[in-house]
Amino acid sequence: MNTIITGLQWGDEGKGKIVDYLTESADVVIRGQGGNNAGHTVIAGGAKYVLHLLPSGILWDNKTNVIGNGVVLDPVGLVIEIERIEAQGIAITPEKLLISDRSHVVLPFHKELDAAREASLGDQKIGTTKRGIGPAYADKVNRCGLRMADLLDREFATAQITRRVAEANEVLVRYNLTIFEASQVIDEVYTAFERLRPHITNTIPVLHAAWKSGKNLLFEGAQGTLLDIDYGTYPFVTSSNTTSGGSCTGSGLPPTAIDAVIGVCKAYTTRVGSGPFPTVDEGLSEYLHGLGREFGATTGRPRGCGWLDTVLLRFACMVNGVTGLAVTNVDGLDAYETLQICTGYNIDGVVHTLPPADRSAWDRAVPIYETMPGWQSDTTACTEYTQLPAQAKAYLNRLSELCGAPIAFVGVGPDRVQTLVV
Ligand code: GDP
Ligand code: IMO
Ligand code: MG
């Protein structure tokens, strides 16, 4: 059984937690897109792990984890992450972590170019994570990127980096940003690369062999559908296909290998960074932040919070081909008296049940709400779906009905064990 786990909102839906939970019955966990802009939190056995580039299957013994060709990989960031996770008692061996030789390298100046671009946009800035994701993907598409395989040939990579550093400096100098010294960049990248070298391989035949021998593959999406470069709230998006198709192009496994797509969403909506967010609600944001919830795992920024938006979810279920929903953070609404569900947008007097493409239409979108009673009881100790209060089940049923996909999992707390199977 090969399953894609994908985010249905603006990221941070709880993908990491669901992937970790499902890894128990999987053999291989694969990241196919994004980079260390992702921040996936897993809480298990009393410890908290925050993963950026490492697949969330890394916490389990005897599982293979793959960083696929579609990922943009910051070697310096990955080494720091490996050391941090190893310090938490998780060994990361070359058998346990495979890195695609086709993955593109995020170089130190990509991060600075990311900052320069944001500065140039002023109040139109994207609010990126400043991890160099956009500039690295731009180099990839512009056919001037460097891949992990290229670093194996130091002479070639040195010439390439030297040229790219000179080009980057021309931009950076205009913004009074840090100028790079090619030799320093090369040293920094190669120090990290030497730690990663034993992990680098052609991951495509490895994944095909696993597929053909009937192993269970789990694909871990990063970001979410509304951050997808094609389907998201462009230009306030990330630079990869975060939707299910990205797992195939980002791993070398074809669509015919996929058996199921689990779409992860929160029981409400959150967004970090700029861009449209029709159902944002100040009261709900203050309430959740007051509980210490909804601060970004990568940048620590408070996430904007709002009501469940089924316009987004309906679209996300369509473009991802969702076969089952994992609704997380149901417990976040435990104390709320009355809940709102957005069923459509009113844009200039016309009701829309799918998101618009036109960016100015987003600004005129007025959510149409349906009101539902809250359950006002603690769900965090529930161990079976049937134990959920009737109003919580009614809310989930309505969500499922409006999105057109069945509910497969429900999250009632951040711990691995607080996952209910429907
Ligand atoms: P990801 O990027 O999709 O993996 O999600 P993040 O880890 O960035 O953000 C999700 C946050 O919600 C993290 O702090 C998780 O520990 C937490 N979380 C996930 N599922 C649940 C849940 O069902 N209940 C609660 N209370 N927290 C959850
Ligand atoms: P996970 O995998 C939430 C957002 C940024 C910004 C936009 C572009 O944890 O769900 P980028 O650095 O990618 O160029 O930023 O995308 N963003 C995320 N928001 N969760 C993420 O990842 C995100 N990765 C990027 O905040 O709005
Ligand atoms: Mg996250």
Side-chain angles (χ1 to χ4, degrees), residues 177-397:
L177 288 166
T178 315
I179 297 299
F180 288 84
E181 183 64 56
S183 61
Q184 265 172 20
V185 171
I186 291 158
D187 282 354
E188 194 183 347
V189 168
Y190 269 93
T191 304
F193 179 71
E194 289 312 330
R195 167 64 185 88
L196 302 179
R197 190 191 284 270
H199 300 268
I200 299 165
T201 187
N202 182 359
T203 51
I204 297 165
V206 177
L207 290 174
H208 274 254
W211 172 34
K212 294 299 173 192
S213 65
K215 296 254 168 74
N216 293 320
L217 311 182
L218 197 56
F219 297 84
E220 176 174 11
Q223 293 82 50
T225 304
L226 277 302
L227 289 171
D228 183 285
I229 187 78
D230 284 278
Y231 306 113
T233 44
Y234 192 87
F236 299 101
V237 295
T238 190
S239 300
S240 63
N241 281 117
T242 65
T243 40
S244 53
S247 292
C248 292
T249 52
S251 65
L253 277 163
T256 46
I258 308 303
D259 302 298
V261 179
I262 300 292
V264 188
C265 65
K266 278 179 180 147
Y268 45 92
T269 312
T270 64
R271 168 161 215 175
V272 61
S274 338
F277 186 175
T279 65
V280 68
D281 186 83
E282 217 173 287
L284 188 58
S285 299
E286 272 174 27
Y287 171 75
L288 292 166
H289 293 152
L291 296 177
R293 301 167 72 125
E294 303 308 342
F295 292 92
T298 297
T299 58
R301 292 178 289 178
R303 299 172 183 144
C305 306
W307 299 114
L308 187 75
D309 186 339
T310 63
V311 177
L312 308 182
L313 293 181
R314 189 177 297 122
F315 181 59
C317 287
M318 282 167 64
V319 297
N320 285 292
V322 167
T323 57
L325 294 163
V327 185
T328 68
N329 286 274
V330 166
D331 55 303
L333 299 177
D334 278 356
Y336 245 75
E337 202 177 325
T338 308
L339 306 174
Q340 316 249 53
I341 299 185
C342 169
T343 57
Y345 298 157
N346 182 331
I347 305 175
D348 307 326
V350 178
V351 176
H352 291 247
T353 52
L354 291 172
D358 165 8
R359 59 177 99 166
S360 73
W362 278 102
D363 301 331
R364 302 193 307 280
V366 180
I368 300 164
Y369 287 116
E370 211 173 85
T371 302
M372 287 195 82
W375 41 96
Q376 296 194 274
S377 59
D378 185 1
T379 59
T380 58
C382 293
T383 52
E384 304 276 346
Y385 180 75
T386 51
Q387 293 167 357
L388 286 175
Q391 296 91 330
K393 281 187 275 195
Y395 181 82
L396 292 167
N397 285 340

Side-chain angles (χ1 to χ4, degrees), residues 10-12 15 37-40 127-129 223 227 237-238 272 301:
W10 279 290
D12 302 329
K15 299 174 292 293
N37 49 347
H40 297 180
T128 73
T129 58
Q223 293 82 50
L227 289 171
V237 295
T238 190
V272 61
R301 292 178 289 178

